[in-house]
Amino acid sequence: MASNKAAARAGNVRDLLMYRIARLATIGDRTGQARISAQFGLNLGEWRALSVVCAFAPVTLARLADELYLDKGQLSRSISDLIDRGLVSHSSSPQDRRQTLFALTAEGRRLHDRILAFAIERNATYMQGLSGAERAQLLRLLDKVMATAARSYEEVFSLQARQAVRKASPRSNPGRAERGATRAVRRGVSCAGGRTDRGRAAVRAGSQ
């Protein structure tokens, strides 16, 4: 413990892994936003939603939110915009008619493939200073770090959910407590205003 404290005093925030990743992500996000918006007419959030719909289709809004680590309210705005632009389609699940599944339209797939080709080239540029073995090792190590981070994420938000249940007085009304916990942890499920009825209704159904 003492050695850890001494190491912390000797260094600074720039030595930390997450600080370096955050800087890299900021550079990537800002340059990506500028170029994807100018060349393809989507913002970065819409592109990520489009790409994950393609990867997992047919897919629910909840599954997309889990993959992207986003609140469903945040994601619903992007999905509703993509529906309104004819890039994403929606249909009822054969297993549960109350659940909505999302997939790409033909137009959405064409746009996805164009942006993906751009993204692959852009990623190759970022890693051009690495050998093939170094690239493989970097991705392998990042996957290991991501697995650890994902476990930490689940622990934190599972704890928040349990705390929200306790605060909602479960002894007096367990059902109400569970609903309160869901609202506390996953705010903003309903789609924001300013969308057409088609996109707004589809995403509201998909949030179930």
Side-chain angles (χ1 to χ4, degrees):
M1 182 65 71
S3 61
N4 289 341
K5 290 181 178 179
R9 287 195 297 270
N12 61 61
V13 71
R14 293 182 299 168
D15 297 324
L16 301 180
L17 171 67
M18 293 309 299
Y19 179 80
R20 296 182 183 193
I21 290 177
R23 290 189 72 204
L24 177 61
T26 299
I27 292 170
D29 284 356
R30 295 190 68 178
T31 56
Q33 173 68 56
R35 296 190 62 184
I36 289 172
S37 176
Q39 292 180 226
F40 305 105
L42 294 183
N43 63 43
L44 201 57
E46 290 167 343
W47 157 236
R48 287 175 176 159
L50 189 77
S51 66
V52 177
V53 169
C54 182
F56 293 98
V59 62
T60 64
L61 188 69
R63 178 68 182 89
L64 294 172
D66 287 344
E67 176 65 20
L68 292 170
Y69 288 92
L70 291 176
D71 181 276
K72 287 196 290 187
Q74 292 176 272
L75 185 58
S76 69
R77 290 186 285 274
S78 295
I79 294 295
S80 63
D81 280 343
L82 294 172
I83 291 172
D84 295 341
R85 295 172 63 172
L87 301 174
V88 168
S89 64
H90 56 89
S91 59
S92 297
S93 168
Q95 286 75 36
D96 185 350
R97 303 292 294 178
R98 297 169 300 175
Q99 195 171 62
T100 300
L101 298 177
F102 300 99
L104 298 191
T105 63
E107 182 181 354
R109 183 57 190 248
R110 287 191 293 270
L111 181 59
H112 167 272
D113 291 351
R114 289 173 56 212
I115 303 177
L116 181 61
F118 160 79
I120 290 172
E121 181 179 353
R122 186 163 168 261
N123 275 258
T125 299
Y126 284 159
M127 294 200 291
Q128 64 185 355
L130 303 178
S131 68
E134 287 173 331
R135 294 178 192 183
Q137 184 181 32
L138 173 62
L139 295 177
R140 180 178 62 82
L141 293 175
L142 284 175
D143 283 344
K144 292 180 71 172
V145 172
M146 182 63 198
T148 302
R151 288 193 296 271
S152 176
Y153 180 94
E154 294 301 327
E155 290 171 1
V156 168
F157 286 97
S158 294
L159 176 62
Q160 286 190 5
R162 292 194 298 271
Q163 291 172 338
V165 169
R166 287 196 293 269
K167 289 180 180 179
S169 302
R171 292 180 181 177
S172 60
N173 191 334
R176 183 178 181 182
E178 292 292 343
R179 292 192 296 272
T182 300
R183 287 193 295 269
V185 176
R186 296 187 174 184
R187 295 182 178 88
V189 170
S190 62
C191 184
R195 307 290 187 265
T196 68
D197 290 342
R198 180 167 64 101
R200 186 168 61 245
V203 175
R204 186 185 302 117
S207 68
Q208 297 177 354

